[in-house]
mmCIF file of all heavy atoms in Angstrom:
data_model
loop_
_atom_site.group_PDB
_atom_site.id
_atom_site.type_symbol
_atom_site.label_atom_id
_atom_site.label_comp_id
_atom_site.label_asym_id
_atom_site.label_seq_id
_atom_site.Cartn_x
_atom_site.Cartn_y
_atom_site.Cartn_z
ATOM 1 N N ASP M 215 -19.797 56.475 -35.879
ATOM 2 C CA ASP M 215 -20.518 57.821 -35.856
ATOM 3 C C ASP M 215 -20.261 58.618 -34.491
ATOM 4 O O ASP M 215 -20.938 59.368 -34.073
ATOM 5 C CB ASP M 215 -22.024 57.705 -36.030
ATOM 6 C CG ASP M 215 -22.672 56.877 -35.011
ATOM 7 O OD1 ASP M 215 -22.082 56.350 -34.156
ATOM 8 O OD2 ASP M 215 -23.991 56.738 -35.157
ATOM 9 N N ALA M 216 -19.171 58.011 -33.727
ATOM 10 C CA ALA M 216 -18.761 58.782 -32.576
ATOM 11 C C ALA M 216 -18.187 60.142 -32.905
ATOM 12 O O ALA M 216 -17.343 60.225 -33.752
ATOM 13 C CB ALA M 216 -17.878 57.874 -31.641
ATOM 14 N N ALA M 217 -18.616 61.134 -32.149
ATOM 15 C CA ALA M 217 -18.046 62.479 -32.464
ATOM 16 C C ALA M 217 -16.587 62.552 -32.257
ATOM 17 O O ALA M 217 -16.155 62.312 -31.151
ATOM 18 C CB ALA M 217 -18.824 63.507 -31.750
ATOM 19 N N VAL M 218 -15.811 63.002 -33.302
ATOM 20 C CA VAL M 218 -14.425 63.123 -33.244
ATOM 21 C C VAL M 218 -13.975 64.356 -33.976
ATOM 22 O O VAL M 218 -14.430 64.630 -35.011
ATOM 23 C CB VAL M 218 -13.617 61.951 -33.854
ATOM 24 C CG1 VAL M 218 -12.126 62.148 -33.974
ATOM 25 C CG2 VAL M 218 -13.867 60.606 -33.063
ATOM 26 N N ASN M 219 -13.176 65.173 -33.338
ATOM 27 C CA ASN M 219 -12.735 66.441 -33.933
ATOM 28 C C ASN M 219 -11.300 66.440 -34.066
ATOM 29 O O ASN M 219 -10.540 65.544 -33.592
ATOM 30 C CB ASN M 219 -13.168 67.570 -33.095
ATOM 31 C CG ASN M 219 -14.724 67.920 -33.301
ATOM 32 O OD1 ASN M 219 -15.146 68.322 -34.455
ATOM 33 N ND2 ASN M 219 -15.527 67.861 -32.276
ATOM 34 N N PRO M 220 -10.624 67.363 -34.834
ATOM 35 C CA PRO M 220 -9.158 67.245 -35.063
ATOM 36 C C PRO M 220 -8.274 67.138 -33.836
ATOM 37 O O PRO M 220 -7.385 66.278 -34.083
ATOM 38 C CB PRO M 220 -8.954 68.681 -35.678
ATOM 39 C CG PRO M 220 -10.290 69.020 -36.396
ATOM 40 C CD PRO M 220 -11.285 68.532 -35.420
ATOM 41 N N GLY M 221 -8.625 67.623 -32.653
ATOM 42 C CA GLY M 221 -7.698 67.405 -31.541
ATOM 43 C C GLY M 221 -7.755 66.006 -31.068
ATOM 44 O O GLY M 221 -6.850 65.626 -30.193
ATOM 45 N N ASN M 222 -8.749 65.235 -31.370
ATOM 46 C CA ASN M 222 -8.868 63.843 -31.054
ATOM 47 C C ASN M 222 -8.023 62.861 -31.829
ATOM 48 O O ASN M 222 -7.930 61.717 -31.453
ATOM 49 C CB ASN M 222 -10.279 63.330 -31.085
ATOM 50 C CG ASN M 222 -11.221 63.982 -30.169
ATOM 51 O OD1 ASN M 222 -11.658 65.139 -30.432
ATOM 52 N ND2 ASN M 222 -11.630 63.393 -28.990
ATOM 53 N N SER M 223 -7.412 63.330 -32.880
ATOM 54 C CA SER M 223 -6.438 62.576 -33.709
ATOM 55 C C SER M 223 -5.386 61.794 -32.872
ATOM 56 O O SER M 223 -4.694 62.443 -32.120
ATOM 57 C CB SER M 223 -5.721 63.369 -34.806
ATOM 58 O OG SER M 223 -6.736 63.762 -35.734
ATOM 59 N N GLY M 224 -5.318 60.493 -32.966
ATOM 60 C CA GLY M 224 -4.311 59.766 -32.188
ATOM 61 C C GLY M 224 -4.922 59.203 -30.947
ATOM 62 O O GLY M 224 -4.249 58.426 -30.210
ATOM 63 N N GLY M 225 -6.144 59.597 -30.666
ATOM 64 C CA GLY M 225 -6.923 59.058 -29.428
ATOM 65 C C GLY M 225 -7.382 57.640 -29.587
ATOM 66 O O GLY M 225 -7.118 56.988 -30.617
ATOM 67 N N ALA M 226 -8.101 57.078 -28.530
ATOM 68 C CA ALA M 226 -8.435 55.766 -28.502
ATOM 69 C C ALA M 226 -9.871 55.495 -28.915
ATOM 70 O O ALA M 226 -10.683 56.295 -28.601
ATOM 71 C CB ALA M 226 -8.251 55.231 -27.092
ATOM 72 N N LEU M 227 -10.057 54.452 -29.753
ATOM 73 C CA LEU M 227 -11.389 53.900 -29.957
ATOM 74 C C LEU M 227 -11.495 52.617 -29.145
ATOM 75 O O LEU M 227 -10.719 51.775 -29.423
ATOM 76 C CB LEU M 227 -11.626 53.627 -31.500
ATOM 77 C CG LEU M 227 -13.075 53.232 -31.845
ATOM 78 C CD1 LEU M 227 -13.994 54.435 -31.664
ATOM 79 C CD2 LEU M 227 -13.085 52.764 -33.211
ATOM 80 N N VAL M 228 -12.467 52.609 -28.246
ATOM 81 C CA VAL M 228 -12.480 51.385 -27.331
ATOM 82 C C VAL M 228 -13.954 50.698 -27.386
ATOM 83 O O VAL M 228 -14.903 51.437 -27.673
ATOM 84 C CB VAL M 228 -12.150 51.762 -25.794
ATOM 85 C CG1 VAL M 228 -10.771 52.310 -25.797
ATOM 86 C CG2 VAL M 228 -13.145 52.621 -25.191
ATOM 87 N N ASN M 229 -13.975 49.389 -27.072
ATOM 88 C CA ASN M 229 -15.266 48.873 -27.002
ATOM 89 C C ASN M 229 -15.886 49.011 -25.603
ATOM 90 O O ASN M 229 -15.224 49.633 -24.737
ATOM 91 C CB ASN M 229 -15.222 47.295 -27.393
ATOM 92 C CG ASN M 229 -14.182 46.571 -26.488
ATOM 93 O OD1 ASN M 229 -14.066 46.860 -25.300
ATOM 94 N ND2 ASN M 229 -13.531 45.537 -27.068
ATOM 95 N N THR M 230 -16.953 48.434 -25.274
ATOM 96 C CA THR M 230 -17.717 48.654 -24.025
ATOM 97 C C THR M 230 -16.938 47.970 -22.868
ATOM 98 O O THR M 230 -17.367 48.206 -21.694
ATOM 99 C CB THR M 230 -19.148 48.301 -24.112
ATOM 100 O OG1 THR M 230 -19.248 46.932 -24.534
ATOM 101 C CG2 THR M 230 -19.895 49.236 -25.019
ATOM 102 N N SER M 231 -15.994 47.244 -23.064
ATOM 103 C CA SER M 231 -15.055 46.571 -22.010
ATOM 104 C C SER M 231 -13.851 47.409 -21.817
ATOM 105 O O SER M 231 -13.085 47.002 -21.045
ATOM 106 C CB SER M 231 -14.855 45.196 -22.334
ATOM 107 O OG SER M 231 -15.962 44.357 -22.396
ATOM 108 N N GLY M 232 -13.687 48.500 -22.618
ATOM 109 C CA GLY M 232 -12.525 49.324 -22.459
ATOM 110 C C GLY M 232 -11.305 48.891 -23.237
ATOM 111 O O GLY M 232 -10.235 49.485 -22.963
ATOM 112 N N GLN M 233 -11.461 47.919 -23.998
ATOM 113 C CA GLN M 233 -10.310 47.417 -24.832
ATOM 114 C C GLN M 233 -10.184 48.328 -26.085
ATOM 115 O O GLN M 233 -10.999 48.630 -26.783
ATOM 116 C CB GLN M 233 -10.630 45.880 -25.254
ATOM 117 C CG GLN M 233 -10.739 44.973 -24.097
ATOM 118 C CD GLN M 233 -11.562 43.643 -24.598
ATOM 119 O OE1 GLN M 233 -11.831 43.582 -25.706
ATOM 120 N NE2 GLN M 233 -11.804 42.866 -23.621
ATOM 121 N N LEU M 234 -8.809 48.553 -26.377
ATOM 122 C CA LEU M 234 -8.478 49.344 -27.509
ATOM 123 C C LEU M 234 -8.664 48.582 -28.767
ATOM 124 O O LEU M 234 -8.060 47.541 -29.020
ATOM 125 C CB LEU M 234 -6.938 49.784 -27.360
ATOM 126 C CG LEU M 234 -6.403 50.768 -28.427
ATOM 127 C CD1 LEU M 234 -7.097 52.102 -28.297
ATOM 128 C CD2 LEU M 234 -4.854 50.890 -28.333
ATOM 129 N N ILE M 235 -9.537 49.160 -29.657
ATOM 130 C CA ILE M 235 -9.886 48.512 -30.918
ATOM 131 C C ILE M 235 -9.530 49.283 -32.102
ATOM 132 O O ILE M 235 -9.618 48.897 -33.263
ATOM 133 C CB ILE M 235 -11.399 48.099 -30.990
ATOM 134 C CG1 ILE M 235 -12.243 49.203 -30.878
ATOM 135 C CG2 ILE M 235 -11.604 46.974 -30.024
ATOM 136 C CD1 ILE M 235 -13.708 48.901 -31.273
ATOM 137 N N GLY M 236 -9.045 50.588 -31.864
ATOM 138 C CA GLY M 236 -8.618 51.356 -32.906
ATOM 139 C C GLY M 236 -8.015 52.692 -32.472
ATOM 140 O O GLY M 236 -8.163 53.057 -31.259
ATOM 141 N N ILE M 237 -7.263 53.333 -33.424
ATOM 142 C CA ILE M 237 -6.625 54.676 -33.134
ATOM 143 C C ILE M 237 -7.276 55.695 -34.056
ATOM 144 O O ILE M 237 -7.309 55.578 -35.311
ATOM 145 C CB ILE M 237 -5.204 54.586 -33.370
ATOM 146 C CG1 ILE M 237 -4.382 53.572 -32.559
ATOM 147 C CG2 ILE M 237 -4.446 56.023 -33.165
ATOM 148 C CD1 ILE M 237 -4.415 53.758 -31.169
ATOM 149 N N ASN M 238 -7.993 56.576 -33.421
ATOM 150 C CA ASN M 238 -8.852 57.557 -34.185
ATOM 151 C C ASN M 238 -7.814 58.463 -35.101
ATOM 152 O O ASN M 238 -6.811 58.863 -34.526
ATOM 153 C CB ASN M 238 -9.501 58.475 -33.303
ATOM 154 C CG ASN M 238 -10.662 57.809 -32.425
ATOM 155 O OD1 ASN M 238 -11.305 56.951 -32.999
ATOM 156 N ND2 ASN M 238 -10.653 58.112 -31.136
ATOM 157 N N THR M 239 -8.166 58.561 -36.288
ATOM 158 C CA THR M 239 -7.191 59.240 -37.189
ATOM 159 C C THR M 239 -7.720 60.358 -38.053
ATOM 160 O O THR M 239 -7.043 61.205 -38.520
ATOM 161 C CB THR M 239 -6.455 58.169 -38.104
ATOM 162 O OG1 THR M 239 -5.389 58.764 -38.758
ATOM 163 C CG2 THR M 239 -7.475 57.581 -39.165
ATOM 164 N N MET M 240 -9.061 60.269 -38.368
ATOM 165 C CA MET M 240 -9.488 61.397 -39.261
ATOM 166 C C MET M 240 -11.035 61.449 -39.231
ATOM 167 O O MET M 240 -11.720 60.564 -38.718
ATOM 168 C CB MET M 240 -9.074 61.151 -40.634
ATOM 169 C CG MET M 240 -9.733 59.969 -41.383
ATOM 170 S SD MET M 240 -9.385 59.981 -43.161
ATOM 171 C CE MET M 240 -7.695 59.935 -43.365
ATOM 172 N N ILE M 241 -11.566 62.532 -39.859
ATOM 173 C CA ILE M 241 -12.990 62.775 -39.918
ATOM 174 C C ILE M 241 -13.364 63.079 -41.478
ATOM 175 O O ILE M 241 -12.448 63.407 -42.177
ATOM 176 C CB ILE M 241 -13.503 63.957 -39.021
ATOM 177 C CG1 ILE M 241 -12.705 65.236 -39.363
ATOM 178 C CG2 ILE M 241 -13.404 63.594 -37.477
ATOM 179 C CD1 ILE M 241 -13.140 66.411 -38.568
ATOM 180 N N SER M 242 -14.507 62.769 -41.811
ATOM 181 C CA SER M 242 -14.954 63.102 -43.136
ATOM 182 C C SER M 242 -15.758 64.332 -43.088
ATOM 183 O O SER M 242 -16.911 64.365 -42.631
ATOM 184 C CB SER M 242 -15.781 61.961 -43.683
ATOM 185 O OG SER M 242 -16.246 62.302 -44.980
ATOM 186 N N SER M 243 -15.247 65.463 -43.472
ATOM 187 C CA SER M 243 -15.861 66.794 -43.316
ATOM 188 C C SER M 243 -15.282 67.799 -44.307
ATOM 189 O O SER M 243 -14.094 67.847 -44.654
ATOM 190 C CB SER M 243 -15.612 67.324 -41.902
ATOM 191 O OG SER M 243 -15.942 68.566 -41.801
ATOM 192 N N THR M 244 -16.134 68.677 -44.705
ATOM 193 C CA THR M 244 -15.699 69.846 -45.711
ATOM 194 C C THR M 244 -15.404 71.059 -44.789
ATOM 195 O O THR M 244 -14.805 71.950 -45.402
ATOM 196 C CB THR M 244 -16.747 70.183 -46.727
ATOM 197 O OG1 THR M 244 -17.937 70.485 -45.925
ATOM 198 C CG2 THR M 244 -16.977 68.938 -47.631
ATOM 199 N N THR M 245 -15.770 71.005 -43.582
ATOM 200 C CA THR M 245 -15.558 72.172 -42.730
ATOM 201 C C THR M 245 -14.371 71.986 -41.671
ATOM 202 O O THR M 245 -13.922 72.979 -41.144
ATOM 203 C CB THR M 245 -16.750 72.447 -41.872
ATOM 204 O OG1 THR M 245 -16.882 71.233 -41.029
ATOM 205 C CG2 THR M 245 -17.982 72.664 -42.723
ATOM 206 N N GLY M 246 -13.769 70.852 -41.607
ATOM 207 C CA GLY M 246 -12.648 70.582 -40.703
ATOM 208 C C GLY M 246 -13.322 70.085 -39.297
ATOM 209 O O GLY M 246 -12.456 69.769 -38.511
ATOM 210 N N SER M 247 -14.475 70.077 -39.196
ATOM 211 C CA SER M 247 -15.143 69.738 -37.830
ATOM 212 C C SER M 247 -16.071 68.609 -38.163
ATOM 213 O O SER M 247 -16.518 68.179 -39.212
ATOM 214 C CB SER M 247 -16.004 70.912 -37.225
ATOM 215 O OG SER M 247 -15.194 71.919 -36.962
ATOM 216 N N TYR M 248 -16.358 67.821 -37.040
ATOM 217 C CA TYR M 248 -17.238 66.591 -37.112
ATOM 218 C C TYR M 248 -18.513 66.805 -37.714
ATOM 219 O O TYR M 248 -19.285 67.830 -37.272
ATOM 220 C CB TYR M 248 -17.235 65.903 -35.646
ATOM 221 C CG TYR M 248 -18.163 64.768 -35.692
ATOM 222 C CD1 TYR M 248 -17.794 63.551 -36.138
ATOM 223 C CD2 TYR M 248 -19.523 64.912 -35.125
ATOM 224 C CE1 TYR M 248 -18.523 62.442 -36.100
ATOM 225 C CE2 TYR M 248 -20.281 63.728 -35.105
ATOM 226 C CZ TYR M 248 -19.959 62.570 -35.493
ATOM 227 O OH TYR M 248 -20.778 61.503 -35.528
ATOM 228 N N VAL M 249 -18.909 66.030 -38.749
ATOM 229 C CA VAL M 249 -20.157 66.245 -39.279
ATOM 230 C C VAL M 249 -20.949 64.837 -39.417
ATOM 231 O O VAL M 249 -22.090 64.823 -40.074
ATOM 232 C CB VAL M 249 -20.212 66.842 -40.647
ATOM 233 C CG1 VAL M 249 -19.870 68.237 -40.578
ATOM 234 C CG2 VAL M 249 -19.283 66.109 -41.643
ATOM 235 N N GLY M 250 -20.552 63.896 -38.701
ATOM 236 C CA GLY M 250 -21.320 62.650 -38.758
ATOM 237 C C GLY M 250 -20.575 61.312 -38.733
ATOM 238 O O GLY M 250 -21.106 60.256 -38.272
ATOM 239 N N TYR M 251 -19.337 61.277 -39.337
ATOM 240 C CA TYR M 251 -18.460 60.137 -39.380
ATOM 241 C C TYR M 251 -17.110 60.478 -38.965
ATOM 242 O O TYR M 251 -16.551 61.373 -39.256
ATOM 243 C CB TYR M 251 -18.562 59.502 -40.900
ATOM 244 C CG TYR M 251 -19.881 59.014 -41.408
ATOM 245 C CD1 TYR M 251 -20.591 59.645 -42.384
ATOM 246 C CD2 TYR M 251 -20.548 57.993 -40.682
ATOM 247 C CE1 TYR M 251 -21.751 59.183 -42.762
ATOM 248 C CE2 TYR M 251 -21.858 57.499 -41.061
ATOM 249 C CZ TYR M 251 -22.401 58.188 -42.122
ATOM 250 O OH TYR M 251 -23.597 57.749 -42.580
ATOM 251 N N SER M 252 -16.552 59.351 -38.343
ATOM 252 C CA SER M 252 -15.032 59.427 -38.166
ATOM 253 C C SER M 252 -14.456 58.127 -38.329
ATOM 254 O O SER M 252 -15.226 57.052 -38.483
ATOM 255 C CB SER M 252 -14.906 59.912 -36.625
ATOM 256 O OG SER M 252 -15.628 58.992 -35.823
ATOM 257 N N PHE M 253 -13.048 57.967 -38.318
ATOM 258 C CA PHE M 253 -12.429 56.785 -38.812
ATOM 259 C C PHE M 253 -11.162 56.563 -37.888
ATOM 260 O O PHE M 253 -10.659 57.350 -37.372
ATOM 261 C CB PHE M 253 -12.015 56.975 -40.199
ATOM 262 C CG PHE M 253 -13.174 57.354 -41.068
ATOM 263 C CD1 PHE M 253 -13.625 58.702 -41.357
ATOM 264 C CD2 PHE M 253 -13.945 56.234 -41.743
ATOM 265 C CE1 PHE M 253 -14.652 58.960 -42.275
ATOM 266 C CE2 PHE M 253 -14.938 56.511 -42.617
ATOM 267 C CZ PHE M 253 -15.344 57.896 -42.779
ATOM 268 N N ALA M 254 -10.866 55.266 -37.735
ATOM 269 C CA ALA M 254 -9.854 54.765 -36.953
ATOM 270 C C ALA M 254 -9.147 53.613 -37.538
ATOM 271 O O ALA M 254 -9.629 52.925 -38.267
ATOM 272 C CB ALA M 254 -10.394 54.307 -35.629
#
Side-chain angles (χ1 to χ4, degrees):
D215 66 354
V218 171
N219 282 299
N222 292 79
S223 289
L227 186 71
V228 302
N229 59 32
T230 52
S231 293
Q233 299 161 6
L234 183 66
I235 58 167
I237 301 298
N238 297 318
T239 189
M240 67 165 62
I241 55 177
S242 179
S243 168
T244 56
T245 64
S247 298
Y248 173 77
V249 292
Y251 295 116
S252 54
F253 303 90

